[in-house]
Amino acid sequence: MVCDGRPALAPRGNKAWALLAYLVLTERPPTRQQVVSLLFPEALDPLRALRWNLTELRRVLRGVASLTGDPLVLTPVPGCAIDVRLLTEGSPAQALSLDGFGRELLEGVAVPDAPAFEAWLAAERCRVATCGQTVVVEQSLNLLTTGEARGAARLAARAVAMDPLNADHHALLVRSLATAGDHLGAQRQAERCADLFRRELGCSLPAEVVAAARPAAVHRRPASGPAAVRSLLDVGRASLAAGAVNRGIEQLERAAATAVDLGDPVLRATAFVALAGARVHGAGERGTAVRALLQDAAACARQAQAGDLAAAACRELGFLALQRGHHDRALVWLDEGERLATDDGERARLLGVRGMCLTDGADYGDALSALTSAVRLARLVGDSRQVAWSLSMVGRLHVLRGEHARAVAPLDTALDIVGEQGWTAFQPWPEAFRAEAAIGSGCVAVARELLDHAWVLATESVDHCWMATVAHGHARLALAARQTSRAQEWVDRGLAPSPWYLWPYARLLDTACSVALQTGGAATAQPMIDRLIELAGRASMRDLLVRAHLHRARTGSRPALAAARALAAEVDDPALRTRIHAESGVPA
């Protein structure tokens, strides 16, 4: 702790540090009873122990922050900076300037007599570490965009060191070295990556690294003006709308290349956003190559003061971040996009992605507010597809909270619009959740018909995210019929493609844990439970983290049940609370 540039008093004892971290990082002020259950479960006089630690914190926070009330509210004074918040909410440059960047959250602190807190801390450590990796990559891409390729390579190498088996980090390092003119270094790095992945994972060089190592094609283009770029953008979008994805991407690549030659920042940003959108939503790309396009587009649009164009780039960057489970950084991009956007259509799209992101993290109240606003604005501007998209997210939210009857209307409306629009590429998503609403309402025949139809659409389009989502519905349908072997088949089908979007994968893993506990017992389920705890903690999927600890509790771990109870305090989910009460043997 630092005050006015000088080291300040530090709290005495691990419990005081633990309490400070919890108050800083928890989203809602906790009640004193919640803190007692979390940190002082074994104390002879828990409330007295809490009062001592509060007194200790007030002593060291004097002049820096106040700590009052029940619930307990920590209020920093104006100008007080909290390093972990700068990491999760600030710019990459701010995060990288922190003295403790790269160090573990509460390094060296352990509270073994408080297992619920230990579970919370483990999840927060995963989240903060993941956030650190993300800002390193973001800043590397920023430097690549501004022509500082050597600096980008140094940061990319740091990202590789932080997570050596992340193919995206290797691809960024190879691309940065090649851009800096170090082609030999890029080739050697690709070879090191190939050797590492062969030894550790038994697989060949990842496709994104192969693409990064490939020399950039040099196309001779006739002299063209802005009209040619706009024409290529029009035909590229038309090709995509007609389903000719590869042709559309090729046309948009020509538009982007011509825009770069012209040196017009607005044209360049427009072409880059269009190309990135095609590669993300049409070709399923999620790596640093497409993120580089978007960060370049955002920088150009900011330079030209084209707010809505910059907002569109930020929205796509937020979407990519949430798909990777980096929700803190996704919200940073979405916050910037909402500050820049003036067009109601763009604001509707931003709010839709925000609602999706918040739902993934089980922040259901704020998610529903964002999605409701997204639907209203999309209707105002006549964007039917955005209306359907956001309504499907509303339906998903209600399904997740066990509110199956409330999910029906928004999902049915979304499906009606999808049918009118002929939007079959999106249809499996609302169909899968409408089926889960039917399962929850006991309408098994309706659910089976919807899921069978959605599965064909998902597999024919080879969309791994849709496949995982529909497979989850089929697995739940099988479990409802007590067909555990069939449920296992669907779990295996859904997990096999390993979708980029982590949330459907993690949710299907939750069901896999349930199936494993029924069929193979604790020994079979434990590896999956461990994987779910790690993934849900890293990606801030709070409801799935609670469910993972409930699975562990079913293996006989009493500390896991305490952890689930404590972690669920931040999740507004009546169905989850009912399940915790049932596991505890306490009436709901």
Side-chain angles (χ1 to χ4, degrees):
M1 295 177 64
V2 177
C3 186
D4 294 329
R6 292 173 296 184
L9 293 172
R12 291 177 296 189
N14 284 351
K15 289 284 179 81
W17 276 111
L19 177 57
L20 178 60
Y22 187 70
L23 293 173
V24 166
L25 290 169
T26 191
E27 289 191 7
R28 297 176 183 84
T31 66
R32 293 182 179 233
Q33 188 55 54
Q34 286 172 347
V35 174
V36 161
S37 299
L38 185 73
L39 274 171
F40 308 104
E42 305 298 330
L44 293 176
D45 189 342
L47 287 172
R48 181 181 179 186
L50 173 60
R51 286 193 296 272
W52 186 93
N53 280 277
L54 288 174
T55 300
E56 175 65 11
L57 283 185
R58 291 189 184 104
R59 179 182 70 84
V60 300
L61 294 174
R62 190 174 296 116
V64 175
S66 63
L67 180 52
T68 56
D70 186 8
L72 286 163
V73 178
L74 179 73
T75 307
V77 300
C80 175
I82 300 175
D83 55 1
V84 72
R85 288 186 182 170
L86 285 176
L87 174 65
T88 58
E89 302 169 11
S91 70
Q94 286 176 316
L96 286 164
S97 69
L98 295 170
D99 288 340
F101 183 84
R103 304 279 292 275
E104 186 177 68
L105 176 67
L106 285 191
E107 191 171 76
V109 172
V111 192
D113 64 339
F117 177 79
E118 288 279 277
W120 175 87
L121 180 58
E124 288 299 293
R125 281 173 169 162
C126 282
R127 179 177 73 91
V128 169
T130 299
C131 212
Q133 290 182 30
T134 305
V135 298
V136 169
V137 172
E138 284 181 10
Q139 185 64 359
S140 179
L141 290 170
N142 284 339
L143 294 176
L144 206 54
T145 297
T146 56
E148 300 174 67
R150 293 196 181 279
R154 284 193 292 273
L155 282 175
R158 189 171 180 178
V160 168
M162 295 168 89
D163 187 359
L165 295 179
N166 188 314
D168 234 14
H169 295 176
H170 287 276
L172 178 57
L173 177 53
V174 169
R175 183 176 294 108
S176 300
L177 290 168
T179 304
D182 185 2
H183 299 290
L184 180 59
Q187 186 59 43
R188 286 175 174 168
Q189 178 58 34
E191 290 169 359
R192 282 192 290 269
C193 178
D195 181 61
L196 176 67
F197 275 64
R198 183 172 53 253
R199 283 187 290 106
E200 297 295 329
L201 302 177
C203 63
S204 57
L205 188 65
E208 50 267 55
V209 183
V210 173
R214 191 180 298 130
V218 179
H219 300 289
R220 295 188 58 150
R221 295 180 295 275
S224 303
V229 176
R230 287 191 286 270
S231 178
L232 284 167
L233 288 170
D234 288 341
V235 297
R237 289 167 179 147
S239 295
L240 291 169
V245 174
N246 291 337
R247 177 63 173 159
I249 288 175
E250 186 270 330
Q251 290 161 335
L252 293 175
E253 285 175 342
R254 286 160 54 202
T258 306
V260 170
D261 286 348
L262 291 173
D264 183 325
V266 173
L267 270 181
R268 177 179 177 133
T270 303
F272 277 24
V273 168
L275 175 58
R279 288 168 63 172
V280 169
H281 303 291
E285 289 189 44
R286 298 293 187 271
T288 50
V290 75
R291 289 160 65 190
L293 282 175
L294 289 167
Q295 288 191 214
D296 190 309
C300 288
R302 289 189 207 103
Q303 174 193 339
Q305 297 184 326
D308 287 310
L309 186 53
C314 290
R315 167 174 47 82
E316 292 286 20
L317 284 161
F319 179 77
L320 288 173
L322 83 86
Q323 290 227 317
R324 296 190 309 277
H326 302 166
H327 296 133
D328 294 304
R329 302 307 300 177
L331 292 172
V332 171
W333 286 115
L334 296 173
D335 286 343
E336 182 179 355
E338 288 177 34
R339 286 194 299 270
L340 293 167
T342 58
D343 173 71
D344 281 343
E346 183 53 50
R347 289 173 59 214
R349 291 186 285 275
L350 281 158
L351 286 165
V353 177
R354 177 179 290 277
M356 182 183 189
C357 182
L358 292 171
T359 302
D360 286 2
D363 190 350
Y364 297 126
D366 288 345
L368 186 57
S369 177
L371 292 170
T372 302
S373 296
V375 171
R376 177 181 60 79
L377 288 171
R379 282 177 170 151
L380 187 66
V381 300
D383 187 344
S384 296
R385 288 197 173 192
Q386 185 60 46
V387 171
W389 194 91
S390 296
L391 282 174
S392 75
M393 296 299 165
V394 172
R396 173 179 77 137
L397 184 153
H398 288 309
V399 167
L400 296 180
R401 284 170 50 90
E403 299 163 341
H404 299 107
R406 294 183 66 185
V408 170
L411 288 168
D412 281 348
T413 304
L415 285 168
D416 287 344
I417 296 171
V418 165
E420 292 165 6
Q421 295 280 317
W423 195 12
T424 54
F426 179 66
Q427 192 167 344
W429 177 266
E431 276 191 331
F433 288 103
R434 180 62 181 86
E436 291 202 36
I439 294 168
S441 303
C443 303
V444 173
V446 171
R448 182 171 290 109
E449 183 177 353
L450 285 164
L451 290 167
D452 286 345
H453 186 264
W455 181 251
V456 172
L457 292 180
T459 52
E460 286 299 311
S461 64
V462 199
D463 190 308
H464 295 172
C465 299
W466 290 173
M467 289 165 68
T469 303
V470 179
H472 181 274
H474 268 299
R476 299 312 305 183
L477 183 62
L479 285 176
R482 302 184 185 279
Q483 299 172 337
T484 52
S485 60
R486 184 168 176 77
Q488 184 64 60
E489 290 173 8
W490 279 109
V491 163
D492 293 341
R493 286 188 200 180
L495 292 178
S498 192
W500 263 97
Y501 181 18
L502 287 185
W503 182 83
Y505 180 88
R507 187 169 183 243
L508 188 53
L509 195 58
D510 170 45
T511 296
C513 293
S514 295
V515 174
L517 283 166
Q518 290 185 38
T519 58
T524 303
Q526 197 60 59
M528 282 181 281
I529 295 171
D530 292 342
R531 171 64 178 146
L532 181 58
I533 286 175
E534 185 274 330
L535 181 59
R538 172 162 54 88
S540 306
M541 301 175 194
R542 294 179 299 175
D543 59 335
L544 289 171
L545 182 60
V546 173
R547 292 172 189 276
H549 282 287
L550 286 174
H551 290 310
R552 182 169 280 175
R554 290 179 62 195
T555 68
S557 169
R558 289 194 61 79
L561 185 57
R565 237 187 261 113
L567 293 166
E570 290 192 70
V571 181
D572 181 18
D573 184 344
L576 190 58
R577 283 199 296 270
T578 299
R579 180 173 167 184
I580 290 171
H581 284 304
E583 295 283 350
S584 306
V586 178

